[in-house]
C-alpha cells in the first residue's frame, strides 16, 4: 500500500537541503537516511534520502543527487510516498496509521452518527481527523484522547466526545452566551464591591491628593 508520508517545502541553505511537511507519525522510520520514496508527480522520483536533521522544530532532508539550492527548490511541493504493508501496525497500541482510519464511521459517545473519516491532517501542533458529514459538509476533530476516547478498528468506528460548538455552531452560541451572563454577573458584583469599599476610598484619599499635588506643582513651575 502506498501512503503519503511528507510534502517537500522550501529549500534550506545552499547545499540541497529541503524542509518537509511530515505526514506520518513515524518520521524516523519512513523518512530516515537510506529510505527510497516514490513521488507525486512520479516523474520527480524516486528519491533516496541521504541525510536528515531537525532544525528549529522542522525536519530537513537532503536527497541523493541534490547538491544545490536550485535543485532543492525544484522539488518544492512534491509529495513523498512510502510503500507500507497493509497488515503492519504501529508499535504503540494508541497510535494508528492513516490508512487504518480512513473511511471508518464516526459517532458521538451517545451513539449519534457524525460521518466518516475522509482524511488525516498532520499539523505541527496536532493531528486532525477530517470527517465527512452525511450532508456533504466537513468537520475537523482534534485527534486527542480528550475528544476521541475510542478507536475500534474491528468495528470500524471512532467514538468522539466533542466540546460544545465543534459539531453544532448553535451550541457554541448558547455556551458563549452563558459564559457572558456569568462573567457579567461576576463583573457587576466585583465592580460594586470595589466602588463601595476599595475604589471609593482610593479615589478620595490617594487619587485625589496625588492629582492635586502634581497638577498644582506643574502649574506653579509653568507660571
Amino acid at each position: 500500500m502506498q501512503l503519503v508520508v511528507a510534502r517537500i517545502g522550501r529549500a534550506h541553505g545552499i547545499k540541497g537541503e529541503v524542509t518537509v511537511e511530515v505526514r506520518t507519525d513515524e518520521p524516523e522510520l519512513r523518512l530516515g537516511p537510506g529510505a527510497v520514496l516514490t513521488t507525486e508527480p512520479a516523474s520527480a522520483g524516486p528519491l533516496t534520502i541521504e541525510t536528515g536533521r531537525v532544525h528549529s522544530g522542522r525536519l530537513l532532508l537532503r536527497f541523493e543527487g541534490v547538491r544545490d539550492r536550485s535543485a532543492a527548490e525544484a522539488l518544492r511541493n512534491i509529495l513523498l510516498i512510502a510503500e507500507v504493508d497493509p497488515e503492519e501496525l504501529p508499535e504503540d497500541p494508541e497510535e494508528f496509521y492513516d490508512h487504518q482510519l480512513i473511511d471508518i464511521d464516526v459517532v458521538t459517545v451517545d451513539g449519534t452518527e457524525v460521518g466518516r473519516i475522509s482524511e488525516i491532517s498532520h499539523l505541527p501542533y496536532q493531528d486532525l481527523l477530517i470527517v465527512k458529514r452525511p450532508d456533504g459538509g466537513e468537520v475537523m476533530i482534534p485527534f486527542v484522547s480528550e475528544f476521541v476516547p475510542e478507536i475500534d478498528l474491528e468495528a470500524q468506528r471512532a467514538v468522539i466526545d466533542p466540546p460544545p460548538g465543534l459539531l453544532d455552531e448553535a451550541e457554541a452560541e448558547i455556551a458563549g452566551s452563558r459564559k457572558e451572563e456569568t462573567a457579567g454577573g461576576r463583573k457587576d458584583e466585583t465592580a460594586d464591591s470595589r466602588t463601595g469599599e476599595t475604589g471609593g476610598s482610593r479615589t478620595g484619599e490617594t487619587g485625589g491628593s496625588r492629582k492635586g499635588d502634581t497638577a498644582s506643582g506643574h502649574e506653579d513651575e509653568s507660571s
Side-chain angles (χ1 to χ4, degrees):
M1 175 180 290
Q2 292 190 325
L3 295 177
V4 175
V5 293
R7 181 180 68 85
I8 299 177
R10 66 182 60 185
H12 179 84
I14 61 173
K15 297 183 178 180
E17 284 186 311
V18 296
T19 63
V20 293
E21 174 191 308
V22 177
R23 298 187 180 182
T24 173
D25 289 333
E26 298 177 314
E28 68 284 350
L29 175 64
R30 308 297 179 197
L31 300 171
V36 180
L37 304 168
T38 55
T39 60
E40 176 60 44
S43 58
L47 294 173
T48 301
I49 297 176
E50 185 174 279
T51 63
R53 65 188 180 96
V54 175
H55 175 73
S56 298
R58 298 294 300 272
L59 179 61
L60 303 180
L61 297 180
R62 181 185 287 114
F63 300 100
E64 291 184 2
V66 178
R67 291 288 176 249
D68 57 38
R69 187 178 183 87
S70 295
E73 193 63 38
L75 299 175
R76 191 167 185 174
N77 292 325
I78 288 174
L79 298 179
L80 300 177
I81 302 169
E83 287 286 345
V84 178
D85 184 345
E87 302 301 319
E88 182 181 341
L89 298 175
E91 294 182 1
D92 188 339
E94 296 298 319
E95 293 183 356
F96 304 89
Y97 291 138
D98 288 8
H99 70 272
Q100 295 177 292
L101 302 174
I102 299 299
D103 286 335
I104 69 174
D105 295 323
V106 178
V107 299
T108 62
V109 289
D110 62 6
T112 302
E113 179 184 359
V114 177
R116 286 191 173 187
I117 298 174
S118 61
E119 182 185 347
I120 315 298
S121 178
H122 298 283
L123 302 179
Y125 52 90
Q126 69 179 11
D127 294 340
L128 295 175
L129 302 180
I130 311 301
V131 180
K132 194 77 170 179
R133 305 297 298 271
D135 61 4
E138 288 185 343
V139 62
M140 294 181 289
I141 311 294
F143 195 18
V144 294
S145 57
E146 179 183 0
F147 300 146
V148 188
E150 180 183 351
I151 296 287
D152 188 339
L153 294 180
E154 186 173 342
Q156 287 290 282
R157 181 183 65 185
V159 178
I160 66 172
D161 186 14
L166 187 62
L167 301 181
D168 187 346
E169 293 183 359
E171 291 182 1
E173 293 177 0
I174 293 173
S177 62
R178 287 176 178 172
K179 288 182 179 180
E180 289 177 1
E181 290 174 2
T182 303
R186 290 177 180 173
K187 183 177 181 181
D188 291 342
E189 293 173 3
T190 305
D192 290 343
S193 63
R194 287 180 177 175
T195 301
E197 298 175 7
T198 308
S201 62
R202 286 186 175 176
T203 302
E205 298 172 7
T206 307
S209 61
R210 287 183 177 175
K211 183 177 180 181
D213 292 344
T214 304
S216 60
H218 282 294
E219 288 175 1
D220 291 342
E221 291 172 3
S222 300
S223 58

